[in-house]
Amino acid sequence: MSDVGFSAREAEYEGVGGVAPGVEFSARGVRIERWARSLTRAGQVVVKDGRLALLTSNGREIDSAPVHTVSTGRRWFFSTADSIVARVNGVRYRLTMGQRGRRRDGVAPLRHFLEALRSARGLPERSAAGPETAR
């Protein structure tokens, strides 16, 4: 069972623009890979109470860490538009969030995930036009 303080039931994606109370982001059906090994094809990614948790489809924790220690990027060979690399506790995981998790407002789950990480870290959200430049 998970030691991050929430269950797989709380982590379920509610679909109609929301998640369980206290959860900033949740997506199911996420492919989670470590190097070239697939850990789960239907996992869950949850951001709650300042922590990121990677869970299997039945709620078993793969890894978790405070969001301020998690880094993300797209520096993985064969990376696709719907996948991202997250470094959690020094381990690189490739997270692939497909079309199944697209919300009704049209926001792709990967973009929503990145926004949730930024807000959980206390950083302002980026505009749709891109990063602001100071002159």
Side-chain angles (χ1 to χ4, degrees), residues 103-118:
R103 297 186 335 188
R104 287 190 178 181
D105 61 3
V107 176
L110 187 60
R111 181 174 168 195
H112 184 60
F113 168 67
L114 293 173
E115 290 171 358
L117 280 181
R118 287 184 62 79

Side-chain angles (χ1 to χ4, degrees), residues 29-51:
V30 178
R31 182 180 189 99
I32 302 173
E33 298 170 303
R34 187 166 144 194
W35 189 242
R37 180 176 171 227
S38 177
L39 300 175
T40 182
R41 294 184 311 178
Q44 300 176 34
V45 175
V46 181
V47 177
K48 179 182 178 185
D49 297 331
R51 291 189 66 85

Side-chain angles (χ1 to χ4, degrees), residues 7-72:
S7 67
R9 187 146 192 48
E10 288 178 301
E12 289 184 11
Y13 185 72
E14 298 296 328
V16 186
V19 293
V23 176
E24 290 103 34
F25 175 82
S26 177
R28 293 187 329 155
V30 178
R31 182 180 189 99
I32 302 173
E33 298 170 303
R34 187 166 144 194
W35 189 242
R37 180 176 171 227
S38 177
L39 300 175
T40 182
R41 294 184 311 178
Q44 300 176 34
V45 175
V46 181
V47 177
K48 179 182 178 185
D49 297 331
R51 291 189 66 85
L52 168 74
L54 306 177
L55 307 170
T56 63
S57 58
N58 60 2
R60 188 177 54 87
E61 181 179 312
I62 296 170
D63 208 344
S64 71
V67 293
H68 68 274
T69 64
V70 175
S71 62
T72 57

